[in-house]
Amino acid sequence: MTRLTRLVTRELLPPLLVGTLLFTAILSFGYFFISSQWLRGVPLGLVGQWIAYQVPDTLVKVLPMAAVLMTVVAFGRMNTERELVAVQAGGISLGRAARPVLVVGALVTALAIWLSLWVAPRANVETRGLYWDVLTGTGLARLAGQTLDLRGGLTLYLAGYDHATRQMRGVRVERWQADDLRRGTIIFAEGGTFEGNQLSLTGYQVFTVNYAAAAELGRVPEDDPVAFRAAVQEVFPGVILPDEPGAVLHLDTGRSRQETFAEYADAIGADAGGWNELTATLRDPEATPTERQDARIDLNRKLALPFGNLVLALAALPFALRYGRTLGVSLGVALLVAVAYYLVFFVGLTVAGTMPTFPEPGVWLANVLFAIVGLWLLRRT
């Protein structure tokens, strides 16, 4: 039995590796082709680094296709050449012969979970930062005119950006109190930098404003200057105007420069939520219901797609026995099964978005459905 396991495993690994390399190369070329018009004159080393950062996320997407191809090619060939007939004639069931599929599928699933929840989110952030900050030379100019949430109640607005000096121009920073929406601190600055998780502002003025007190100004007697002065002080309880023109104000942010690119630079933000971020949102008592639902769906999605490797590797077995006669047919069948899985998977995500109290059935719909269909077809094979 150990020898049979080794033989079947040797049949599985080559199509798995070839499929992974092939599908990864196709998607990577697609990323490069779409962005090539903005990469003119960029050193090839930087382009290669940019593509490499996208590989973890790409692997999470293509491994299910490679898992299907692995099973269809390997067992299709063994079935065509009557090797499975010989195995069954020796008293070994198909289920026992297919155990290496379960083991390899489980290992690929574990790899995909690690990539999905710990590696790909960080790599996606690095991808956006490298693209906008280095490859295109756009930098924070891409975000000029937008109000950026830097977490912790801190927002940033910049009117312009000089990429050569990495200096922002016309900066406004706001932080409003969570327990009093009409009281906050507003900082105006002529310029500044945003590096890592720190804002460094120059030519700044800091105003703490109480709009609730401002609403009471109309009730202050006009002939009482002392009362009016006290009321104005209630409106502006804190004002900081630095004496030195070169003074610098440093602010720590909850979202780094690269994470800001990942969130706001593209029409669709980068998939930057990993295990730590998603579980922290679910545990955060101040998180809104929408934030909790999004984190719950994302966490289940990042688990469900990797488990699709195991489900598809086993569900593809009846297709391999029926249709895996040649390499071309096997490839076609594998693509059809994988495309069908992704269609159901995305439909399930759409359904999950309409189920705020219990989104898990929608996220896991594709895995459950393909597992049931695969078992049913296998019983009829």
Side-chain angles (χ1 to χ4, degrees):
M1 188 62 189
T2 304
R3 183 179 179 184
L4 176 62
T5 300
R6 289 199 301 266
L7 291 174
V8 175
T9 303
R10 289 174 186 171
E11 292 288 338
L12 295 172
L13 293 182
L16 174 64
L17 296 176
V18 171
T20 301
L21 292 174
L22 174 62
F23 297 135
T24 300
I26 292 174
L27 261 67
S28 297
F29 176 77
Y31 297 145
F32 172 76
F33 181 79
I34 293 173
S35 303
S36 59
Q37 58 181 318
W38 292 287
L39 300 178
R40 295 172 184 172
V42 176
L44 289 178
L46 286 177
V47 175
Q49 183 181 356
W50 174 65
I51 293 176
Y53 277 141
Q54 300 178 72
V55 169
D57 189 63
T58 301
L59 285 174
V60 175
K61 294 180 174 68
V62 305
L63 281 174
M65 294 187 286
V68 176
L69 184 65
M70 169 189 76
T71 302
V72 174
V73 170
F75 276 80
R77 190 202 67 78
M78 288 190 293
N79 187 53
T80 301
E81 298 184 7
R82 303 297 181 181
E83 293 180 9
L84 291 179
V85 175
V87 168
Q88 290 175 306
I92 299 175
S93 67
L94 179 61
R96 291 180 65 187
R99 284 181 183 176
V101 177
L102 177 63
V103 174
V104 175
L107 292 175
V108 174
T109 297
L111 171 64
I113 291 175
W114 176 63
L115 291 172
S116 179
L117 286 172
W118 283 277
V119 181
R122 186 66 244 172
N124 289 340
V125 171
E126 296 292 337
T127 299
R128 292 299 201 279
L130 179 65
Y131 183 79
W132 292 111
D133 232 0
V134 179
L135 299 184
T136 65
T138 304
L140 289 172
R142 175 72 179 178
L143 306 178
Q146 300 184 48
T147 298
L148 312 174
D149 180 8
L150 301 184
R151 298 197 183 110
L154 196 69
T155 62
L156 168 68
Y157 173 90
L158 61 150
Y161 178 74
D162 185 347
H163 179 70
T165 60
R166 297 175 70 88
Q167 287 283 327
M168 301 180 292
R169 300 190 305 272
V171 179
R172 183 180 69 240
V173 177
E174 301 177 21
R175 174 174 279 155
W176 298 90
Q177 291 186 197
D179 58 347
D180 188 349
L181 298 180
R182 292 182 294 178
R183 186 185 183 95
T185 300
I186 304 175
I187 305 172
F188 300 98
E190 297 176 1
T193 61
F194 185 12
E195 303 293 345
N197 286 74
Q198 188 173 80
L199 287 171
S200 299
L201 306 178
T202 57
Y204 65 89
Q205 298 177 331
V206 182
F207 301 90
T208 300
V209 184
N210 184 353
Y211 281 94
E216 301 295 326
L217 282 177
R219 301 180 183 180
V220 179
E222 297 181 359
D223 57 350
D224 190 344
V226 176
F228 184 79
R229 179 180 177 85
V232 171
Q233 288 180 337
E234 284 294 321
V235 175
F236 297 100
V239 177
I240 301 176
L241 304 175
D243 297 329
E244 299 180 7
V248 180
L249 176 65
H250 299 289
L251 299 174
D252 292 328
T253 64
R255 195 192 301 271
S256 69
R257 178 187 177 102
Q258 290 177 310
E259 290 171 335
T260 303
F261 282 124
E263 180 70 21
Y264 295 106
D266 297 336
I268 301 177
D271 190 359
W275 174 265
N276 293 333
E277 293 80 9
L278 295 174
T279 54
T281 300
L282 292 175
R283 293 194 303 264
D284 186 1
E286 297 182 359
T288 65
T290 300
E291 291 173 338
R292 289 177 180 274
Q293 182 189 11
D294 291 343
R296 193 171 170 182
I297 292 175
D298 283 345
L299 182 58
N300 278 276
R301 173 178 60 84
K302 288 175 177 288
L303 288 170
L305 187 57
F307 270 99
N309 293 284
L310 181 58
V311 171
L312 288 176
L314 297 174
L317 189 57
F319 294 94
L321 300 178
R322 289 190 178 194
Y323 307 108
R325 297 181 179 87
T326 65
L327 180 59
V329 174
S330 297
L331 181 59
V333 170
L335 288 175
L336 286 175
V337 173
V339 169
Y341 173 82
Y342 280 115
L343 286 176
V344 177
F345 186 78
F346 290 124
V347 168
L349 288 179
T350 302
V351 173
T354 65
M355 305 166 64
T357 58
F358 192 42
E360 283 78 6
V363 181
W364 291 86
L365 173 64
N367 287 345
V368 174
L369 180 61
F370 272 73
I372 293 173
V373 171
L375 290 174
W376 179 73
L377 290 176
L378 193 58
R379 288 174 62 90
R380 299 191 56 179
T381 300

